[in-house]
Amino acid sequence: GSAVSSIHDAIKVDLNQPLGPLSDTYHLGKKLAKLARIALIAHQVNNAKDMKRALSKMGAILSRFVSGKSSNNRLVYDLTWGGLVIERGLQEPIFDYGNAYYNDHHFHYGYFLYSIAVWLKLDPKSARNAVGGNLLRYAKLLVSDILSPGAEDWFPKLRHIDLYEGHSWASGLFKMFDGREQESCSEAVNAYYSIALLGRLMKDNDMENTAKVCLALEIQASRTYWQVPGLAVETYPKLFAGGLYSPVFSKNMVVGVMGGNMVSHTTWFGTNVEFVHGIQMIPFTGISNHLFPKPFVTREYGQLAMSLSRRDPAIMPSWEGYVRMAQAIIDPVGAWNGISGLNASEFDDGNSITNALYWTATQPLPENQDPNEAFVQFNIRH
């Protein structure tokens, strides 16, 4: 159908985009995962040639990183706290969002692990042979830094996830006025989802099952504490008649940052509504429909949509891509039209017009939507 043709075209456009600087683990990881997502989508639409192009581009960058040849983003093992940290951050604590001081490791390394899982799924032979046969050994080290699912002495167990609270904390060794905190629950979900995929592909039951438990906890916590009014309130309306948060706060629909003794409707990089909502959605992958289900998006999208008509400041195209992908859950036709009007070069570095169109095309149409009046849907999933 026409949707498939548009996605084929988008893949070619995206693969010709320059990736830009690759100087820290967060943005490098996002760019690798973006290419992995394009490869996976190319595979789904039976485009073997562009799948190989995307994997080749991703594999070359990933192999260079894993081999330690790039001095500005090389990881080293820290004997003090037992983890993999970016070498430059040992002299510059806030470089790479505080990676050397253990901020956000699950966010950063989750993107790498998603990329490696996709590579292993689509071309297992080259993935197993990559970097002199060491790619998967390196992947297991990244997994150990976040989870340490096996009996290992080099890394702590479950670095980020707090089994008592039922979700992860992103902050590392920096002093925090409000205790530990986590901004992006969705990037935490991405980490555990990616590890579960990798564990399944590597036939490592400990890895897969540990990640699945963390994934289930993180999704449940996201839907309980970050999404308002939240799962607990919806499930037990009498018990939580007043809601988890005050009415003044609840009208925001979304928590931006969860702290040990506070919640806020903001982010570390700004207060725009698309920032606060969007950072709880990225990246959009096969797990995303479980993380933010249709009833929640139906409730919150009215607020999020205000960003599209705001004049000052006007929404950045990189964030509009994510807003349109949220729209796709309740209005795929409107979202498709909105995404089609965006320039591929202006998408966020962890997203692409390929991913946005594919995501939109694979959302169920609303019950009252005649598919003949829209675009032709095709039956493929993540």
Side-chain angles (χ1 to χ4, degrees):
S2 60
V4 183
S5 301
S6 297
I7 290 169
H8 280 294
D9 292 343
I11 290 168
K12 288 179 168 47
V13 171
D14 278 326
L15 288 178
N16 288 329
Q17 297 296 321
L19 286 177
L22 305 171
S23 58
D24 61 55
T25 62
Y26 181 63
H27 293 285
L28 172 58
K30 286 177 73 176
K31 289 168 183 176
L32 289 168
K34 166 186 176 172
L35 289 170
R37 195 90 192 112
I38 292 169
L40 196 57
I41 292 166
H43 173 70
Q44 294 284 25
V45 296
N46 300 313
N47 183 344
K49 183 179 177 182
D50 285 331
M51 180 198 81
K52 289 174 184 173
R53 274 184 70 202
L55 280 182
S56 174
K57 196 170 182 179
M58 182 197 81
I61 299 166
L62 187 53
S63 298
R64 180 173 170 78
F65 172 80
V66 170
S67 65
K69 289 178 181 174
S70 181
S71 59
N72 61 351
N73 59 23
R74 181 167 52 217
L75 296 187
V76 294
Y77 180 78
D78 166 36
L79 289 163
T80 306
W81 295 95
L84 299 178
V85 299
I86 194 161
E87 190 174 34
R88 181 175 157 188
L90 296 171
Q91 282 72 48
E92 303 173 48
I94 62 170
F95 176 69
D96 199 9
Y97 304 95
N99 172 286
Y101 282 62
Y102 294 92
N103 278 3
D104 304 348
H105 277 205
H106 55 335
F107 297 169
H108 295 210
Y109 301 159
Y111 285 110
F112 286 86
L113 292 165
Y114 182 82
S115 307
I116 295 168
V118 168
W119 192 355
L120 187 57
K121 177 177 174 59
L122 296 180
D123 190 352
K125 185 177 179 182
S126 72
R128 292 183 187 281
N129 291 335
V131 200
N134 287 317
L135 177 68
L136 298 187
R137 289 177 62 195
Y138 196 92
K140 290 185 86 165
L141 289 174
L142 292 177
V143 171
S144 295
D145 181 87
I146 301 169
L147 282 189
S148 196
E152 301 165 15
D153 297 327
W154 289 87
F155 300 92
K157 285 281 182 192
L158 307 178
R159 186 184 303 279
H160 288 283
I161 201 153
D162 182 329
L163 294 178
Y164 179 77
E165 297 286 356
H167 63 78
S168 298
W169 299 111
S171 51
L173 303 177
F174 295 96
K175 290 181 181 178
M176 305 290 291
F177 180 75
D178 292 303
R180 294 170 294 176
E181 62 78 28
Q182 176 162 271
E183 183 179 56
S184 179
C185 57
S186 54
E187 288 181 304
V189 164
N190 180 62
Y192 304 129
Y193 173 56
S194 301
I195 295 170
L197 294 176
L198 194 61
R200 178 175 296 183
L201 289 164
M202 294 178 72
K203 296 182 169 53
D204 185 326
N205 291 333
D206 281 349
M207 184 191 296
E208 181 182 357
N209 292 333
T210 305
K212 279 182 173 177
V213 170
C214 295
L215 176 62
L217 284 170
E218 201 75 43
I219 290 176
Q220 188 84 347
S222 302
R223 293 178 58 184
T224 301
Y225 302 121
W226 272 262
Q227 298 174 13
V228 182
L231 210 52
V233 180
E234 293 168 354
T235 310
Y236 306 104
K238 291 181 180 177
L239 189 61
F240 296 102
L244 294 183
Y245 307 117
S246 70
V248 173
F249 187 84
S250 292
K251 71 178 191 295
N252 294 316
M253 298 289 181
V254 174
V255 169
V257 178
M258 172 80 62
N261 59 8
M262 69 89 195
V263 290
S264 70
H265 184 67
T266 185
T267 70
W268 283 98
F269 53 92
T271 58
N272 291 5
V273 65
E274 66 272 23
F275 298 167
V276 181
H277 288 242
I279 200 66
Q280 308 306 342
M281 294 181 166
I282 68 170
F284 282 72
T285 68
I287 199 71
S288 298
N289 281 117
H290 298 282
L291 176 60
F292 35 93
K294 190 171 183 176
F296 166 68
V297 178
T298 303
R299 243 186 358 255
E300 58 103 40
Y301 187 71
Q303 282 195 22
L304 185 53
M306 290 166 64
S307 63
L308 297 174
S309 56
R310 191 184 61 224
R311 292 188 175 186
D312 188 21
I315 189 170
M316 290 181 279
S318 56
W319 284 96
E320 183 176 349
Y322 290 128
V323 174
R324 295 295 185 186
M325 291 171 86
Q327 179 187 5
I329 295 170
I330 55 173
D331 175 21
V333 178
W336 180 274
N337 293 333
I339 291 162
S340 298
L342 295 173
N343 190 315
S345 65
E346 295 180 316
F347 274 73
D348 180 55
D349 58 3
N351 198 18
S352 64
I353 195 164
T354 300
N355 193 38
L357 291 175
Y358 176 83
W359 165 267
T360 302
T362 53
Q363 296 304 304
L365 284 170
E367 291 174 8
N368 61 354
Q369 174 70 57
D370 179 355
N372 295 320
E373 294 175 5
F375 48 87
V376 179
Q377 291 255 299
F378 46 104
N379 185 28
I380 51 177
R381 300 296 297 167
H382 29 274

